[in-house]
């Protein structure tokens, strides 16, 4: 078991967290990471760490590094078309009861690097390639790579290849889109090469009609940067708009940026400046804000789904990726020599938990109304609740009456001393 030969498809947070934990469990494990991009993708939007993932980063000794690289965001402020503040939801300062802005708000690339950098010289990496298909044969899985066409045998294939996982589609004999639900939002992410917040630490959230959201967040880069998000929130009636957004994403960044310019051109506030920043960015990408739910997380033998490939969940997807990587490595450690049993135990822990989690579609549509009347009503409610500090009262009272972030029920694993 100490020389288990593993292929991880995807070098993101899920794949990196698993490889990091697996090498702690088995320092001599042979791990290969295949990444479809030509290099590690160390860019991306702000993500956060919550629930059991907070406990895990502490156990792994990664909390100091993560705190060092947080975005220093202090909260989020709703603004109107003139940039006037409507209400401000501040960070709580309490990791056990977090608001919209987490105590561990960090850019995706920085977090991915924290997991992957310490192990880069201990894993083999294959860039600009992916898994085309696989075949399970007894205690091995034969993987055919898409570009090189090489066929290699592994003891375990870990699918950390994202929301539109091809490996998930093969395992469940379906399409990559089959198990993606709640496609009510499409989000463009990019870095604007100037500080649009004038050094402020509050993110700004602006709503225009037709479900258009402009979101700018602070970036501590001393060169002066801002992280921009353009969000299109749609209802089930807007089938054609969703089709246009899906098509633009499939066609690539140029199509996605052109469509964002078309949809947001008259949105108001600082939107035109944000669109200009989008065009000048080096890290633009656009994706569906989707939920993945599957009937199972493993093939019963040698293939397993990890992170967004198995249970993408907006708002807590990063935390679930960390938890999943930790649990999978922990089960492989505690069930030495029995991969099938370890995968089943991992599934028995993660699947019931993710099934209890909300998909977020209703909340996303409720807080981002389609009409001016809806936006005004939302603003009035936010102004009242936050103005009377009812949000802070609720955050303080929640743990006392039993409402708190749901944690994953997982065993203590016998991690070897470092």
């Amino acid at each position: 078991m100490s020389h288990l030969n593993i292929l991880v498809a995807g070098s993101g947070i899920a794949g990196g967290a698993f490889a990091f934990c697996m090498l702690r469990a088995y320092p001599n494990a042979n791990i290969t990471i295949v990444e479809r991009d030509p290099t590690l993708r160390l860019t991306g939007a702000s993500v956060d760490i919550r629930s059991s993932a907070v406990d895990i980063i502490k156990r792994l000794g990664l909390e100091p590094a993560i705190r060092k690289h947080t975005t220093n965001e202090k909260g989020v402020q709703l603004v109107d078309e003139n940039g006037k503040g409507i209400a401000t939801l501040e960070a709580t300062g309490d990791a056990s009861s977090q608001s919209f802005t987490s105590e561990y708000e960090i850019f995706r690339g920085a977090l991915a690097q924290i997991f992957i950098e310490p192990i880069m010289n201990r894993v083999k990496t294959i860039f600009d390639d992916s898994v085309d298909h696989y075949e399970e044969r007894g205690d091995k899985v034969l993987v055919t790579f898409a570009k090189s066409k090489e066929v290699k045998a592994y003891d375990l294939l870990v699918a950390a290849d994202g929301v539109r996982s091809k490996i998930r589609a093969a395992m469940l004999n379906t399409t990559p889109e089959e198990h993606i639900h709640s496609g009510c939002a499409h989000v463009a992410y990019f870095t604007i090469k100037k500080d649009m917040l004038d050094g402020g630490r509050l993110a700004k959230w602006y709503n225009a009609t037709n479900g258009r959201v402009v979101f700018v967040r602070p970036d501590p880069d001393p060169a002066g940067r801002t992280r921009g998000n353009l969000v299109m929130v749609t209802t089930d009636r807007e089938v054609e708009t969703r089709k246009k957004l899906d098509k633009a994403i499939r066609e690539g960044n140029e199509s996605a940026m052109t469509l964002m310019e078309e949809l947001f051109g008259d949105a108001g506030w600082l939107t035109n400046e944000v669109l200009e920043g989008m065009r000048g960015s080096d890290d633009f990408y656009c994706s569906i804000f989707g939920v993945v739910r599957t009937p199972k997380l493993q093939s019963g033998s040698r293939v397993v789904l990890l992170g967004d490939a198995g249970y993408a969940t907006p708002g807590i997807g990063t935390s679930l990726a960390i938890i999943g990587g930790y649990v999978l490595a922990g089960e492989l450690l505690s069930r030495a020599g029995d991969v099938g049993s370890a995968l089943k135990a991992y599934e028995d822990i993660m699947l019931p938990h993710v099934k209890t989690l909300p998909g977020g579609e209703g909340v996303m549509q409720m807080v981002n109304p389609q009409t001016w009347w809806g936006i005004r009503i939302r603003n009035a409610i936010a102004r009242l609740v936050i103005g009377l500090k009812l949000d802070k009262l609720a955050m303080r009272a929640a743990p006392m009456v039993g409402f708190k972030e749901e944690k994953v029920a997982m065993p203590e694993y016998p991690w070897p001393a470092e």
Side-chain angles (χ1 to χ4, degrees):
M1 186 69 171
S2 63
H3 293 284
L4 195 67
N5 190 20
I6 302 171
L7 177 65
V8 180
S11 66
I13 292 166
F18 167 71
F20 183 95
C21 294
M22 194 62 195
L23 286 170
R24 178 160 294 189
Y26 294 103
N28 296 319
N30 297 314
I31 299 178
T32 299
I33 299 176
V34 59
E35 169 58 49
R36 65 169 64 94
D37 287 331
T39 61
L40 290 174
R41 189 168 68 85
L42 299 178
T43 57
S46 177
V47 297
D48 52 39
I49 300 171
R50 301 174 185 270
S51 181
S52 299
V54 174
D55 301 327
I56 289 169
I57 63 169
K58 291 178 179 179
R59 290 174 195 167
L60 296 176
L62 297 177
E63 187 191 23
I66 289 171
R67 283 199 177 275
K68 182 179 177 181
H69 289 88
T70 57
T71 67
N72 297 321
E73 184 176 294
K74 301 303 181 185
V76 59
Q77 183 180 55
L78 288 169
V79 299
D80 64 16
E81 62 271 21
N82 299 310
K84 182 180 178 181
I86 296 164
T88 301
L89 184 61
E90 297 176 343
T92 64
D94 180 0
S96 65
S97 182
Q98 304 187 60
S99 69
F100 184 92
T101 296
S102 168
E103 297 309 301
Y104 301 96
E105 202 77 35
I106 183 171
F107 295 127
R108 176 203 168 276
L111 182 58
Q113 192 163 15
I114 286 170
F115 279 111
I116 205 79
E117 192 173 69
I119 61 171
M120 276 298 288
N121 64 346
R122 301 170 61 194
V123 300
K124 178 182 178 183
T125 51
I126 302 172
F127 292 110
D128 199 26
D129 211 340
S130 61
V131 174
D132 184 72
H133 61 274
Y134 70 86
E135 179 184 351
E136 293 181 84
R137 288 187 185 176
D139 61 355
K140 298 291 181 184
V141 53
L142 298 182
V143 173
T144 301
F145 291 91
K147 285 195 174 181
S148 70
K149 305 302 179 185
E150 284 188 273
V151 179
K152 295 185 178 180
Y154 296 93
D155 299 309
L156 174 63
L157 170 59
V158 179
D161 53 339
V163 172
R164 287 189 165 88
S165 169
K166 286 181 63 178
I167 300 172
R168 179 183 71 235
M171 190 181 91
L172 299 176
N173 192 28
T174 182
T175 66
E177 290 75 28
E178 178 70 21
H179 291 92
I180 303 174
H181 309 287
S182 185
C184 72
H186 295 71
V187 189
Y189 307 88
F190 47 92
T191 301
I192 301 168
K193 294 177 182 177
K194 64 179 179 179
D195 183 1
M196 295 184 62
L197 298 171
D198 297 323
R201 297 290 93 193
L202 288 175
K204 306 287 185 176
W205 174 355
Y206 168 70
N207 286 86
T209 54
N210 300 316
R212 295 172 294 175
V213 186
V214 181
F215 201 43
V216 290
R217 309 187 80 163
D219 184 329
D221 190 320
R225 298 286 186 266
T226 308
R227 299 297 175 118
N229 299 158
L230 296 173
V231 188
M232 275 298 303
V233 180
T234 53
T235 65
D236 290 341
R237 295 189 300 273
E238 297 171 281
V239 176
E240 291 306 313
T241 301
R242 288 184 180 180
K243 285 182 178 178
K244 285 174 68 176
L245 287 159
D246 289 339
K247 181 174 182 286
I249 291 174
R250 287 195 304 270
E251 290 176 347
N253 287 349
E254 178 58 35
S255 291
M257 284 192 279
T258 299
L259 183 56
M260 289 296 165
E261 289 168 335
E262 174 189 323
L263 294 172
F264 282 83
D266 63 348
W269 188 47
L270 299 177
T271 305
N272 287 338
E273 193 175 346
V274 171
L275 289 170
E276 288 177 11
M278 175 191 75
R279 273 293 176 184
S281 67
D282 301 320
D283 58 354
F284 176 92
Y285 71 100
C286 190
S287 66
I288 189 171
F289 210 51
V291 176
V292 171
R293 292 292 181 265
T294 63
K296 61 182 183 177
L297 296 177
Q298 47 91 31
S299 65
S301 178
R302 299 281 160 170
V303 182
V304 63
L305 306 179
L306 180 65
D308 284 355
Y311 35 81
T313 306
I316 57 170
T318 298
S319 297
L320 289 174
I322 295 170
I323 295 165
Y326 179 86
V327 170
L328 180 56
E331 291 300 331
L332 287 165
L333 173 62
S334 63
R335 299 166 188 273
D338 191 345
V339 174
S341 173
L343 300 193
K344 183 64 169 64
Y346 158 80
E347 180 182 69
D348 288 344
I349 291 170
M350 296 301 298
L351 198 56
H353 177 74
V354 298
K355 283 183 175 179
T356 68
L357 300 174
E361 180 169 358
V363 173
M364 179 68 78
Q365 293 171 338
M366 180 176 66
V367 299
N368 297 293
Q370 297 284 319
T371 66
W372 277 122
W373 278 112
I375 293 169
R376 290 190 179 101
I377 292 169
R378 190 281 313 269
N379 289 349
I381 294 171
R383 189 180 289 115
L384 176 65
V385 169
I386 295 175
L388 294 176
K389 300 188 185 303
L390 297 179
D391 59 315
K392 294 183 179 180
L393 178 63
M395 294 295 287
R396 286 197 297 269
M400 301 177 190
V401 295
F403 291 100
K404 52 187 178 181
E405 290 183 340
E406 189 71 24
K407 294 200 173 185
V408 178
M410 55 186 174
E412 290 289 333
Y413 296 115
W415 300 103
E418 288 188 79

